[in-house]
Amino acid sequence: MPEDSPRPATAREIVATLSGASLDEARRLVERYAEDPRKQVRHAVAVARRRVAREEAERARVEAMYALQEELGGPGVVVGVDEVGRGALAGPLTVAAVCLPAEPRVWGLNDSKQLTPRERERIAAQVADVAIAIGIAHVEPAVIDSVGMGSALRQAMASAVEETGLEPDRVLIDGNPIGAHPAELCIVKGDARIACIAAASIVAKVTRDALMVSYEEEYPGYHLAECKGYGSAAHVGAIRERGLTPIHRRSFCGNFVEQLRLF
């Protein structure tokens, strides 16, 4: 072998390179080593091939979300809206409104309920970096008790869109018609189908979760960091034992609290 010829890669080196390769690099390496006879390399190529297939399918899923956003939103300014906390016993109703650019794509967008907390945090940070605008609105428990959930939801969605500072040509909202904005178009399961709605669902979830964790110190014993204000067995038990706090929705708790009393 000439002295200046490159040394052939060992099986261990190929395995390490494949395991850390980007999607584009993995495609190239799988093709390059597809016929390598070494057992370690064959196994690594098979693993990499499966990873490439998964990542390509995931990218196709997200691309479809952007395509549907473009189809339903049209060529103007499009804002996606979603809420979190509608069924909670404590804490606010939180709504986020997000306007995304066509590029760069935010890979991993999905209904926030389909993501782990770590994935939500990571994607929320990406959305914050690339979004054209983000608006967030909260409706506190006392207001929900006073006006009801339907009115609270309309109020919060309208406020979140206003907080973006934009004049949207189309407002895409997850769920059924709500009457929050003249340009609204509501799509059932839109948080799993449309990019900007998915982004809004993630931002709303991460924002409200952080708020509920912060309430843990103010109202200890209600398990708010774990349940985020929803009706877990531990949370309901704490309400029965300790009574209601100012962040509880009294109208949501009457079924299992005989005598409502404030913290």
Side-chain angles (χ1 to χ4, degrees):
M1 178 184 298
E3 291 185 2
D4 58 351
S5 295
R7 177 179 61 83
T10 67
R12 180 175 296 181
E13 289 170 341
I14 294 170
V15 170
T17 302
L18 277 166
S19 66
S22 66
L23 178 59
D24 290 339
E25 186 181 8
R27 287 194 192 102
R28 179 180 61 81
L29 291 170
V30 164
E31 183 177 351
R32 178 177 177 182
Y33 293 109
E35 303 301 325
D36 194 293
R38 289 169 288 185
K39 183 176 179 180
Q40 280 182 286
V41 176
R42 290 202 309 271
H43 176 72
V45 166
V47 170
R49 187 177 283 117
R50 290 193 294 270
R51 178 169 70 87
V52 167
R54 287 194 303 270
E55 291 189 20
E56 287 177 340
E58 170 64 11
R59 292 207 170 196
R61 184 189 65 79
V62 174
E63 290 286 5
M65 296 176 75
Y66 276 91
L68 188 57
Q69 173 181 307
E70 183 177 349
E71 176 186 338
L72 297 181
V77 176
V78 180
V79 171
V81 177
D82 201 8
E83 56 77 25
V84 66
R86 188 186 306 203
L89 305 180
L93 171 72
T94 299
V95 173
V98 177
C99 180
L100 289 176
E103 296 288 346
R105 301 299 207 217
V106 180
W107 303 115
L109 282 173
N110 204 343
D111 170 8
S112 64
K113 297 184 291 297
Q114 301 300 316
L115 302 170
T116 66
R118 179 175 294 182
E119 288 170 335
R120 288 195 294 265
E121 292 280 355
R122 175 180 59 79
I123 296 171
Q126 292 179 16
V127 170
D129 284 341
V130 307
I132 295 169
I134 295 175
I136 297 173
H138 303 283
V139 180
E140 297 305 322
V143 176
I144 295 171
D145 287 336
S146 176
V147 304
M149 182 53 70
S151 294
L153 189 58
R154 283 190 292 275
Q155 173 187 323
M157 287 185 170
S159 296
V161 173
E162 184 177 358
E163 284 294 313
T164 65
L166 303 175
E167 293 290 339
D169 298 290
R170 179 63 76 187
V171 176
L172 301 177
I173 299 177
D174 179 47
N176 297 306
I178 191 69
H181 194 279
E184 78 176 40
L185 176 63
C186 296
I187 302 97
V188 174
K189 299 189 184 299
D191 50 2
R193 300 171 59 199
I194 296 174
C196 59
I197 299 180
S201 78
I202 293 166
V203 170
K205 175 68 172 167
V206 168
T207 300
R208 187 180 183 279
D209 280 2
L211 180 61
M212 297 310 297
V213 169
S214 74
Y215 280 142
E216 179 75 17
E217 292 185 9
E218 190 171 354
Y219 303 106
Y222 288 87
H223 311 279
L224 298 174
E226 295 90 20
C227 72
K228 308 300 188 294
Y230 288 89
S232 69
H235 185 197
V236 170
I239 294 172
R240 285 176 168 151
E241 178 183 347
R242 298 164 176 260
L244 301 178
T245 75
I247 66 165
H248 279 97
R249 305 172 187 176
R250 295 173 65 89
S251 59
F252 281 45
C253 299
N255 289 338
F256 50 83
V257 179
E258 294 180 1
Q259 292 184 338
L260 300 178
R261 64 185 188 276
L262 286 175
F263 183 81

